[in-house]
Amino acid sequence: MTAPRPPSRRLRSLRYSSEKMEGTGSWDVLEWTKFDPASWSGSFSNLDCLLESERVIFDGCGAILINTGEAGTLLLTNFRTLFLSEGSRKVVPLGTIPLVTIEKFNKMVLKVQSNRQDSNKNPPKRLLQVTGKDMRIIVYGFRPGTKQRRAVVDALLNCSKPERVWDLYAFTCGVSKFGNTNPKERLLNEYFRLLGKSSLQASMNMIDDGSFALSNDLWRITDLNSNYNLCETYPFALMVPKSISDDELIQASTFRSKCRLPVISWCHPGSGAVIARSSQPLVGLMMNMRSNFDEKLVASFCTQLAGHKGAPRKLYIADARPRKNAFANGAKGGGSESSSNYLQSEIVFFGIDNIHAMRESFSRLRDYLDMHGTTSSDGTSSFLRQGGWTWGGGNLSSMSASVSLLGDSGWLSHIQGILAGVAWIAARVAMESASVLVHCSDGWDRTTQLVSLACLLLDPYYRTFAGFQALIEKDWLAFGHPFSDRVGMPNVAGSGNFELPIQSSSSRSFPSSSGSAAAQSSISSHGQNNYSPIFLQWVDCVSQLMRMYPSAFEFSPTFLVDFTDCLLSCRFGNFLCNSEKERQQCGISEAYGCMWAYLTDLRSSSATPHVHCNPFYNPSRYDGPLLPPAAALAPTLWPQFHLRWACPVEPNAGEIEDQCRAMTVKYSEMKKEKEVAERKVEDISSAMESLKEELQNEKEISRAARESEKRAIKERAVILRAVQSLGCKVNFTKNGDFAVEVEDGPQKCSHSLPQKPSENNTTTDVSESLSSLTDQKVSQALHTREGTCRWPDAGCAQIGSQFVGLKANFEAFDKLSIYDSYFTAE
């Protein structure tokens, strides 16, 4: 067992202050007698917080969460540990962790100094420390004189380390409502997009009959690996140069480690430049082995530059490893390429460390955050902790020393190295139209980090929700990143390589994970244990890019946190197993719920913009590649993930997003109100236009009525003069009646002639009838001896020989102008 390092070099020493544990600490004030296990028995099966098919398999009543000093009950389900606060039974997030997210747990006994007389009154504190893969360290305390801690440890041993992948919660919950489409179809759809054939839609029939093997002018999709005979860790479909035959691909694969031959991951739609990936070449101990097929395949990535006749493009071979590590792999038959063997090529080493260095760096970062957070896992504030090497009671030099420990963890340096390599690759492709072949040792860890981040910088589509999913499924899942090994899950074979160490300690201080605990937890870390936070490190790099370009991504940092939590918890099966082949053997896509569907459902079920949506997203501004300069690549801690347990109040980025999101909601509401008001204005304007038209019509009718009135008055005058010219007298009364007097006496006419047209009458009949004059004399007066009308154009009405009356028509009277001798001047 490795001896602990001295305090000046240790990143963490979970040391209890005596004031906390012996006098006023929550351990002593907790009334353990109030917890009656019998009263709680059988009462946890119907908790509202339980998920679908989640069941309680153990309950430990009367526990305490040392981190916060909160008393409650610790439950163990088939999916996670649940810590319920005392009385309210509300879930305490810090004390609730999925079983698969637990990296290790340790039993500890804290002996408290006391006088001999009081030794029985101060029994040892029995604690359980749980270390999570999500940056938290939890410490539970249990009732003295009981075997609760032992029962919890035994339950964790049985549940947190399932022997088979089928024992995980994702398989026990049955068919989920978050259905999953076949990931092979989604991979083909992404290939079609890269080939410029987005109009095509992949289907299972297309996969079964092999009709997906399409091509454009430069590249093609091959089904050579449809049965995974070419490479077990590659996807069923590969995108390769059109000029290379399948036989040549088979020959080239033998020259690369694990047969992971160079294939295309992304191609520029305009310039024809590509980002390709592979594993290291098998150049042998003397670095002198060659393969003509491999060299021809790699040279085919250097297609002719667009607009440059006969000029091949430059090829960069980016080796993610340090140069010395690449040469050291020669002892195992590996190594790196020689630029003299590959046309137009240049070899570049990025110097990124391996998975074991990343695991140790992540552990040191977690210890640092726990030690110097607001409240550490030992329940002591970092501002009050003594010891001289931490805050030291406010000593400024010790504060600076504690900050330097963050640099000693090396995590941010690793992040910066990855970002620098990614920015270099993106610049070569975007600015030089060069092609880049990326590899490390096996081509599934550092290679995947670099390739997927470079695609994220170059292609705006990958910065959307749909594109981010396509990117992860293509470069991480399809190309065989070993998630089971790296996340610490059981594999298809039935036994995972990940071990959960158990320790006991009788010292007053908690064991340091960077000391003896770390040595044992690694389980020969450079040998059997392949656990490493490679994917989490990649997500951290994405968060750094989002910090540099806050308006370039459709999703928010909160989405990245929830996405990472879903992955680490194994609640869904998307990231189970080590390759596409293994997931197909297990029938993963048919047997589990889909995490992407779950996250999509969260966003669609929200009436307001969801927290996963970036309120600052501006796709029109960032519709091209992102090329960060070197000065912008200085990383910092990711507050939403790194500080959420150690410093839960300090991360303010979420609050700013919430305020912006609230403003967006308010703006959306005001926009809707504006739209409603605009529709009302349009309706009112339309009504006003209609009323205006009606008013115009009324004016036309009124004008026509006035004209008719004038014509009627003129007509009456003409009729009056015409009748009087016949020797008749017409007398009008006040009520509108009139009488026509002829020689033999008056004959009353019942026809009424109004003096003025009615205001409500919109039509005026310009014809008036004099129909009561049936006397023969009147007939003779109005007609000639021959029986014809004296005014042939006046429209005199007759029925047979019987005179009916004189019909005065204004238009007819207009034609009487030739008979002016009948009228007297007015």
Side-chain angles (χ1 to χ4, degrees):
M1 181 177 296
T2 306
R5 288 178 291 180
S8 60
R9 294 182 58 85
R10 290 176 61 183
L11 291 174
R12 172 174 168 271
S13 176
L14 296 178
R15 181 178 302 169
Y16 270 92
S17 62
S18 58
E19 295 83 4
K20 178 71 177 177
M21 297 303 299
E22 295 180 5
T24 60
S26 55
W27 181 281
D28 297 300
V29 300
L30 179 64
E31 299 179 15
W32 295 103
T33 56
K34 71 168 56 177
F35 293 96
D36 183 9
S39 64
W40 288 62
S41 178
S43 60
F44 301 108
S45 59
N46 297 321
L47 290 174
D48 295 335
C49 60
L50 294 180
L51 302 174
E52 178 185 5
S53 301
E54 185 180 11
R55 64 184 186 277
V56 177
I57 58 179
F58 174 82
D59 60 90
C61 304
I64 185 171
L65 185 62
I66 301 297
N67 305 63
T68 59
E70 188 171 1
T73 300
L74 179 63
L75 304 178
L76 197 65
T77 74
N78 58 333
F79 173 59
R80 56 183 169 171
T81 66
L82 279 170
F83 190 84
L84 306 181
S85 61
E86 176 187 356
S88 65
R89 295 194 183 184
K90 292 184 178 180
V91 176
V92 180
L94 174 60
T96 300
I97 181 172
L99 299 177
V100 184
T101 310
I102 298 175
E103 180 179 327
K104 61 184 177 181
F105 51 90
N106 302 322
K107 293 190 299 182
M108 292 169 290
V109 177
L110 183 66
K111 293 183 178 180
V112 182
Q113 291 181 351
S114 61
N115 299 328
R116 294 182 178 179
Q117 299 176 353
D118 300 332
S119 59
N120 295 330
K121 296 182 180 179
N122 296 293
K125 314 300 183 184
R126 299 186 178 275
L127 308 176
L128 176 63
Q129 183 189 63
V130 175
T131 303
K133 305 169 190 174
D134 57 354
M135 303 299 296
R136 64 175 135 179
I137 299 176
I138 314 168
V139 179
Y140 302 106
F142 298 91
R143 292 185 300 170
T146 66
K147 298 181 179 180
Q148 282 190 329
R149 186 184 64 171
R150 179 184 299 177
V152 172
V153 170
D154 292 341
L156 284 176
L157 279 174
N158 294 330
C159 300
S160 61
K161 186 188 173 185
E163 295 182 358
R164 305 176 306 165
V165 67
W166 296 279
D167 295 330
L168 292 170
Y169 169 77
F171 287 93
T172 60
C173 61
V175 179
S176 174
K177 66 177 182 178
F178 305 109
N180 180 34
T181 58
N182 195 299
K184 290 184 176 182
E185 297 180 18
R186 298 197 293 264
L187 177 64
L188 284 181
N189 286 330
E190 178 58 16
Y191 281 166
F192 293 161
R193 187 187 74 89
L194 293 174
L195 292 178
K197 300 181 181 296
S198 300
S199 58
L200 297 177
Q201 189 70 25
S203 64
M204 287 307 300
N205 292 333
M206 183 182 294
I207 295 174
D208 293 337
D209 58 24
S211 59
F212 60 84
L214 307 175
S215 65
N216 61 11
D217 296 337
L218 299 176
W219 323 114
R220 68 183 179 97
I221 304 173
T222 177
D223 62 349
L224 183 60
N225 199 41
S226 58
N227 294 323
Y228 307 103
N229 294 326
L230 179 68
C231 178
E232 292 187 349
T233 57
Y234 265 9
F236 77 104
L238 302 172
M239 197 158 67
V240 297
K242 189 176 182 180
S243 59
I244 303 298
S245 66
D246 286 349
D247 291 337
E248 291 173 321
L249 293 175
I250 296 174
Q251 296 296 329
S253 65
T254 60
F255 187 66
R256 294 282 171 169
S257 174
K258 305 243 182 335
C259 295
R260 295 174 65 89
L261 74 162
V263 293
I264 298 171
S265 177
W266 183 83
C267 54
H268 195 286
S271 67
V274 300
I275 296 179
R277 58 181 300 164
S278 70
S279 61
Q280 64 180 339
L282 302 179
V283 295
L285 182 62
M286 303 302 296
M287 305 287 288
N288 58 355
M289 300 294 293
R290 297 179 60 178
S291 169
N292 293 332
F293 296 100
D294 183 79
E295 293 172 10
K296 180 180 179 180
L297 173 59
V298 173
S300 63
F301 298 141
C302 299
T303 57
Q304 180 179 324
L305 280 168
H308 296 75
K309 296 182 179 180
R313 68 181 72 248
K314 184 71 176 291
L315 172 69
Y316 291 96
I317 300 177
D319 194 326
R321 302 166 293 181
R323 184 187 296 268
K324 61 179 182 179
N325 291 17
F327 291 153
N329 282 335
K332 300 179 181 179
S336 187
E337 297 87 350
S338 173
S339 58
S340 60
N341 298 333
Y342 292 87
L343 179 68
Q344 294 287 112
S345 67
E346 179 180 339
I347 313 297
V348 181
F349 293 91
F350 286 170
I352 301 174
D353 287 326
N354 59 22
I355 62 172
H356 310 293
M358 300 305 179
R359 178 179 61 250
E360 294 170 359
S361 175
F362 180 78
S363 178
R364 290 194 296 267
L365 174 66
R366 180 176 53 203
D367 294 341
Y368 167 80
L369 294 175
D370 179 68
M371 185 64 189
H372 299 285
T374 304
T375 301
S376 300
S377 60
D378 62 359
T380 305
S381 172
S382 60
F383 294 98
L384 301 177
R385 186 178 291 110
Q386 302 297 321
W389 64 277
T390 175
W391 290 114
N395 186 284
L396 293 180
S397 61
S398 62
M399 291 182 184
S400 301
S402 67
V403 174
S404 68
L405 296 177
L406 174 62
D408 292 342
S409 71
W411 182 258
L412 296 182
S413 298
H414 294 314
I415 295 293
Q416 187 174 21
I418 296 172
L419 291 176
V422 168
W424 185 90
I425 294 174
R428 301 287 79 75
V429 175
M431 302 181 69
E432 297 182 19
S433 296
S435 292
V436 182
L437 170 62
V438 184
H439 71 75
C440 52
S441 296
D442 293 324
W444 52 39
D445 290 312
R446 290 165 285 190
T447 299
T448 305
Q449 287 180 329
L450 294 172
V451 169
S452 55
L453 282 174
C455 292
L456 194 71
L457 288 178
L458 291 169
D459 197 334
Y461 171 69
Y462 292 132
R463 302 194 285 269
T464 65
F465 282 110
F468 191 69
Q469 174 184 346
L471 178 67
I472 292 175
E473 291 194 316
K474 171 174 65 74
D475 282 315
W476 288 89
L477 291 170
F479 277 95
H481 175 69
F483 276 100
S484 287
D485 294 342
R486 300 297 181 261
V487 179
M489 298 180 290
N491 56 29
V492 179
S495 60
N497 295 326
F498 183 66
E499 298 291 338
L500 293 174
I502 301 175
Q503 284 200 23
S504 295
S505 174
S506 300
S507 62
R508 292 188 59 192
S509 300
F510 287 5
S512 171
S513 61
S514 61
S516 60
Q520 186 167 344
S521 66
S522 62
I523 313 296
S524 300
S525 59
H526 293 278
Q528 298 178 356
N529 190 2
N530 290 320
Y531 163 73
S532 186
I534 297 300
F535 186 78
L536 194 151
Q537 188 179 49
W538 179 81
V539 179
D540 195 346
C541 291
V542 175
S543 73
Q544 304 293 337
L545 295 176
M546 294 177 68
R547 176 180 57 84
M548 286 185 274
Y549 301 98
S551 301
F553 295 82
E554 185 181 10
F555 43 87
S556 66
T558 304
F559 168 79
L560 291 182
V561 174
D562 292 345
F563 164 74
T564 305
D565 285 343
C566 286
L567 182 147
L568 295 177
S569 69
C570 295
R571 178 181 174 184
F572 305 97
N574 299 74
F575 296 88
L576 299 180
C577 303
N578 287 327
S579 65
E580 181 183 279
K581 178 183 178 181
E582 291 185 3
R583 282 185 288 274
Q584 178 172 303
Q585 290 175 345
C586 295
I588 295 292
S589 60
E590 295 85 11
Y592 69 89
C594 179
M595 182 182 68
W596 306 111
Y598 167 73
L599 296 174
T600 302
D601 182 73
L602 287 180
R603 296 193 300 270
S604 60
S605 61
S606 177
T608 58
H610 197 266
V611 294
H612 290 174
C613 301
N614 180 14
F616 308 106
Y617 181 50
N618 186 2
S620 59
R621 180 181 177 185
Y622 295 101
D623 58 351
L626 304 178
L627 302 177
L633 297 176
T636 184
L637 289 178
W638 178 13
Q640 289 87 347
F641 186 81
H642 292 146
L643 301 180
R644 60 173 169 166
W645 306 118
C647 307
V649 181
E650 277 64 26
N652 295 321
E655 296 180 4
I656 297 175
E657 289 183 4
D658 291 341
Q659 294 176 3
C660 182
R661 195 169 286 106
M663 294 176 63
T664 304
V665 172
K666 185 66 176 178
Y667 172 75
S668 178
E669 294 175 352
M670 295 177 65
K671 188 176 181 180
K672 292 180 180 179
E673 294 176 356
K674 178 185 175 183
E675 292 175 355
V676 172
E678 288 177 348
R679 285 195 296 267
K680 290 183 178 180
V681 170
E682 290 178 358
D683 294 340
I684 294 174
S685 300
S686 178
M688 289 181 64
E689 290 294 332
S690 178
L691 292 174
K692 186 177 180 181
E693 292 179 0
E694 293 180 3
L695 179 61
Q696 188 67 26
N697 293 335
E698 291 292 336
K699 288 181 179 180
E700 291 294 330
I701 294 173
S702 177
R703 185 188 62 78
R706 288 194 297 271
E707 292 294 331
S708 298
E709 180 184 13
K710 293 179 181 179
R711 294 170 62 187
I713 293 173
K714 183 178 179 181
E715 180 183 357
R716 189 186 68 171
V718 170
I719 294 174
L720 181 61
R721 289 196 300 272
V723 173
Q724 288 177 349
S725 67
L726 298 176
C728 301
K729 294 182 180 181
V730 180
N731 297 321
F732 289 93
T733 62
K734 293 182 178 181
N735 59 2
D737 295 338
F738 66 91
V740 179
E741 296 180 2
V742 293
E743 294 179 358
D744 293 342
Q747 183 170 357
K748 187 70 173 179
C749 178
S750 62
H751 182 72
S752 176
L753 257 176
Q755 297 297 323
K756 294 182 179 180
S758 174
E759 295 180 357
N760 296 328
N761 188 16
T762 59
T763 61
T764 303
D765 187 2
V766 298
S767 298
E768 298 295 340
S769 175
L770 300 175
S771 60
S772 298
L773 300 180
T774 60
D775 191 85
Q776 185 64 29
K777 292 182 179 181
V778 176
S779 177
Q780 292 176 356
L782 296 175
H783 293 76
T784 63
R785 292 181 181 180
E786 290 80 9
T788 60
C789 181
R790 291 181 182 273
W791 299 292
D793 297 328
C796 181
Q798 298 185 56
I799 300 179
S801 61
Q802 182 67 34
F803 170 73
V804 176
L806 177 64
K807 182 178 181 182
N809 183 279
F810 179 75
E811 294 179 357
F813 278 106
D814 282 344
K815 299 177 182 180
L816 293 180
S817 59
I818 60 175
Y819 300 106
D820 290 340
S821 59
Y822 291 105
F823 305 100
T824 58
E826 296 184 0

